[in-house]
Amino acid sequence: MTLSGIHVPLITPFAADGEIAFDALEDLARAALDDGASGLVALGTTAEVATLAEEERRAVIEVCGRVCRERGATLTVGAGSADTRSTAEALRALKGEADAALVTVPAFVRPSEAGVLAHFTALAEQTPVPLVVYNIPYRTGQSVGAATLRRLGELPMVAGVKHAVGGVDLDTVALLADPPEGFAVLAGDDPFLSALLALGASGGILASAHLRTGEFAELFRAWRAGEVEHARALGHRLSLMSAAMFAEPNPTVLKGVLHAQGRIPTADVRLPLVPASRASVEAALRML
C-alpha cells in the first residue's frame, strides 16, 4: 500500500466516570477525516494505549474502523511489543480490522540494528497487514540508522516508517535523499513536519493535527505543489502551535485544549499521566 498525507493518531477521550467516551471518539474521527486527514491511527502512544484494557482496545478499533470505512480512509492500528512472537500474534489479530499496523522498534530490550532488522523480517513474514515501522529512539532507547531503515523498506510487507527522532539529523536527510521505492517516510515529530515535507517526506502522523487539520492537509498539498513561500509560512505557524502541544507529556496538553473547545467531555488522562497544567493549556490555546 502507499501511505501519504496527514494521519491523525487519535486520543482516547474519557468520560467523568473514567470510561471511554465513545461518542466523542467517533466525533473526533469524523472531524479529522472531514477536515482533510488521509487516515487515522488507533491505539498509538497518543491514545494512552498502555492504560487501555483489551476490550477497550477492541472497541476503539471498531469505532475507528467503521468511520474509516465510511470515509474511504486508511486505518492504521498500533500493535505489538518488544517481543517478536507476541507482536506477530497481535498483528494476526488485525486481519480484516485494519489497513496497516504501526509497530514500534523494540523498546527497553535495545537490540542491535541487526536484531531490529531480524525482528521486522520475522514480522513481515507473518503479518496480514502492511507494517509501518515506528522509529522513536527517545522512547525506545534504540536508534535505527538510514541504512537499516532502507533495508527494512525493502521488505515486502513494510510500507513505511513513522520517523520521530527529535529533529532533522543526518540519517533523516540521508533516508529522504534515497528512500526505497514505495517506502513512505512519515514525519512523527509534529514541529518538524514542514521541514521533512520540504525534504520529500510522504506525510505525517501527527497528534497536533487533531487541531487545524485542514491547515496540516494544506501544508502537505503546498509542499507537493511546490508552493514554497506559502508552505514555509504555514509550516512555521503550525510548528509553533505543535510545540505548544508538547509542553507537557503527550497527550495531556492536547486533551486540555480539546476539552476547553468542548470537543471531549473531560481532559482526564490515566495514571501514570496527570493532566496538564492550566498555564500550558492556556498557552496552547493562545497559539490557536
Side-chain angles (χ1 to χ4, degrees):
M1 67 180 301
T2 300
L3 289 168
S4 65
I6 303 303
H7 298 251
V8 180
L10 290 173
I11 65 158
T12 303
F14 297 121
D17 62 2
E19 298 299 312
I20 296 177
F22 286 106
D23 288 346
L25 176 65
E26 185 166 340
D27 288 345
L28 290 172
R30 294 184 189 282
L33 297 178
D34 289 347
D35 289 345
S38 299
L40 304 175
V41 177
L43 305 183
T45 306
T46 304
E48 302 172 68
V49 62
T51 71
L52 301 182
E54 183 58 35
E55 61 270 19
E56 291 178 318
R57 297 180 190 187
R58 288 196 297 268
V60 167
I61 292 173
E62 192 280 326
V63 170
C64 295
R66 173 161 39 82
V67 174
C68 283
R69 287 190 295 272
E70 290 173 358
R71 299 296 196 274
T74 300
L75 174 64
T76 303
V77 175
S81 66
D83 171 58
T84 306
R85 287 185 299 176
S86 62
T87 300
E89 291 175 5
L91 290 171
R92 286 192 289 270
L94 293 180
K95 185 176 182 179
E97 301 292 333
D99 300 301
L102 180 64
V103 181
T104 307
V105 169
F108 196 79
V109 178
R110 297 188 68 189
S112 64
E113 291 199 30
V116 172
L117 180 60
H119 174 73
F120 281 100
T121 299
L123 296 179
E125 293 172 351
Q126 302 177 66
T127 181
V129 297
L131 306 179
V132 179
V133 177
Y134 191 1
N135 183 31
I136 184 166
Y138 55 85
R139 285 189 184 271
T140 65
Q142 172 68 51
S143 181
V144 182
T148 300
L149 288 171
R150 283 196 194 94
R151 293 184 68 185
L152 291 172
E154 293 168 356
L155 296 172
M157 287 298 286
V158 174
V161 59
K162 179 181 178 182
H163 196 59
V165 298
V168 182
D169 61 6
L170 184 58
D171 278 316
T172 302
V173 175
L175 176 64
L176 285 167
D178 184 28
E181 184 177 355
F183 183 65
V185 180
L186 301 168
D189 285 312
D190 301 33
F192 300 106
L193 169 66
S194 188
L196 264 66
L197 289 174
L199 289 169
S202 305
I205 297 176
L206 311 157
S208 301
H210 279 80
L211 310 165
R212 295 192 173 179
T213 311
E215 292 186 33
F216 279 98
E218 171 63 16
L219 178 64
F220 168 75
R221 189 205 64 78
W223 277 118
R224 281 293 177 95
E227 299 171 2
V228 176
E229 291 188 8
H230 173 51
R232 183 180 294 129
L234 179 57
H236 285 321
R237 292 198 301 273
L238 291 176
S239 293
L240 291 173
M241 184 202 78
S242 294
M245 297 301 155
F246 291 87
E248 297 186 36
N250 183 46
T252 61
V253 178
L254 175 59
K255 278 192 160 184
V257 170
L258 291 170
H259 177 54
Q261 293 179 331
R263 298 178 63 188
I264 58 176
T266 74
D268 293 350
V269 290
R270 287 181 177 172
L271 289 171
L273 292 176
V274 295
S277 67
R278 179 176 178 180
S280 291
V281 173
E282 290 180 348
L285 287 166
R286 285 194 297 271
M287 291 302 299
L288 284 169

